[in-house]
Amino acid sequence: MRRPGLTAAMLWPALIIMAPLLLGPLFALAQESLKPYVGGRIGGDDAGALTLDNYALIAAPEYVRYFLDTFRVGLISSGLALALGFPMAHFIVRRARPATRRVLIGGLVGTLFLSLIVRVYAISMTFGPLGPLSGFSRLFGIRSNSPDGAELMVVLGLMNTTLPLVALTLIGTLQNINPRLEEAAMSLGAPRWKTFFLVTVAMSVPGILSAGIIAYAFCISNLVVPMLVGRGFILFVSNLIYSRFSDVANFPGGAALSIVMMVISVSLFYGLLHLVRSNWQEAGK
């Protein structure tokens, strides 16, 4: 039996505590983004009139390039993590023996406890110009010291950090799919590959979408990976925000970039959710 009064009584204290912690910093950023920037001081000019100049500067072509690189490289990295993570999760859930399954899941969880900096430098030492797999980039016709080589290193670094998250998310999704449904499809004459795509993958779409959103959000908000292996060729919006706040003390500019990035990201995620949900409902009719 549902108890709306009890549910509300338990929910409101958490909302009262969390709302200021979540909305307060956003309000402070929005307020700071409207202040005029004055060189030689930290933060905006509190005495000056509120202005939209900080947002107008973001429309410049050089800023647009940062946004395009962020979303493009993030999409490539999260897409590759999904492409590798789903077969990995499927093998762990459906094919691996119990002992092997425990070892593989333990390895995925263990990588999450490694420092992100250590993992990124490990990628750099392995695939960099002096690493044992330095010829990997030449398979794609890319020189390791070129801008494309730097982008490849960023993609590999982001994949290394998001692949365990994607695989663990999809393991939970596949465990909730009854394997008898796959057996029933094959018993009715469906080939294994068709069963895999029309039953297993189709029923995993919500989990795939969740894993993709988690991976994409992590990629486009990442600061460390492009900073360490981008070599100045690939910089994300997060790097630009960091520079505005820490290097030049342009708090209004950094705040405006943060607000624009948040609005674009939230709009993109809700747009993708609406698109997938609409297609899913049409397919079910």
Side-chain angles (χ1 to χ4, degrees):
M1 182 181 296
R2 295 182 178 180
R3 298 181 179 179
L6 179 60
T7 302
M10 297 176 63
L11 184 62
W12 275 109
L15 290 177
I16 292 174
I17 296 174
M18 293 303 299
L21 296 178
L22 295 176
L23 299 179
L26 293 178
F27 178 77
L29 275 178
Q31 186 180 26
E32 185 69 26
S33 68
L34 297 175
K35 296 179 181 179
Y37 169 65
V38 179
R41 59 172 294 166
I42 298 176
D45 185 6
D46 296 327
L50 298 181
T51 178
L52 295 175
D53 291 344
N54 299 308
Y55 290 96
L57 291 174
I58 300 176
E62 55 269 21
Y63 284 95
V64 174
R65 182 177 65 84
Y66 287 109
F67 281 94
L68 292 178
D69 283 346
T70 300
F71 289 107
R72 179 179 57 83
V73 176
L75 181 62
I76 295 172
S77 304
S78 55
L80 291 174
L82 278 175
L84 295 176
F86 190 87
M88 183 185 301
H90 186 269
F91 173 79
I92 292 174
V93 174
R94 292 287 191 263
R95 303 295 179 187
R97 295 180 178 180
T100 305
R101 185 182 302 120
R102 287 192 294 269
V103 171
L104 293 176
I105 293 178
L108 290 173
V109 174
T111 58
L112 299 178
F113 288 89
L114 289 176
S115 170
L116 178 60
I117 296 178
V118 173
R119 294 158 68 183
V120 173
Y121 273 124
I123 289 291
S124 178
M125 293 173 60
T126 304
F127 295 95
L130 302 179
L133 297 180
S134 59
F136 178 76
S137 60
R138 290 195 290 271
L139 296 175
F140 305 95
I142 298 174
R143 292 185 295 106
S144 58
N145 292 324
S146 65
D148 291 336
E151 180 175 328
L152 178 62
M153 293 296 297
V154 172
V155 170
L156 291 175
L158 292 174
M159 282 180 55
N160 180 269
T161 55
T162 55
L163 184 56
L165 293 173
V166 170
L168 290 172
T169 302
L170 293 176
I171 285 174
T173 299
L174 291 171
Q175 285 177 335
N176 290 325
I177 298 177
N178 193 338
R180 293 184 177 180
L181 297 174
E182 302 169 359
E183 297 171 359
M186 288 188 289
S187 67
L188 294 175
R192 185 177 295 274
W193 68 267
K194 196 170 185 179
T195 300
F196 175 76
F197 285 104
L198 297 184
V199 177
T200 307
V201 176
M203 297 186 68
S204 304
V205 168
I208 293 174
L209 181 61
S210 299
I213 290 177
I214 292 172
Y216 195 46
F218 184 89
C219 288
I220 64 177
S221 62
N222 199 282
L223 169 71
V224 176
V225 175
M227 178 182 292
L228 295 183
V229 297
R231 299 199 299 270
F233 294 115
I234 300 295
L235 291 175
F236 284 3
V237 176
S238 55
N239 299 110
L240 194 60
I241 294 173
Y242 174 81
S243 175
R244 289 292 179 273
F245 276 107
S246 64
D247 293 342
V248 297
N250 184 357
F251 283 21
L257 281 169
S258 303
I259 294 296
V260 171
M261 184 65 179
M262 182 191 67
V263 171
I264 294 176
S265 300
V266 172
S267 301
L268 179 63
F269 291 144
Y270 275 104
L272 289 174
L273 284 174
H274 177 72
L275 178 63
V276 172
R277 188 176 301 168
S278 300
N279 293 336
W280 186 259
Q281 291 175 352
E282 291 178 2
K285 293 180 180 179

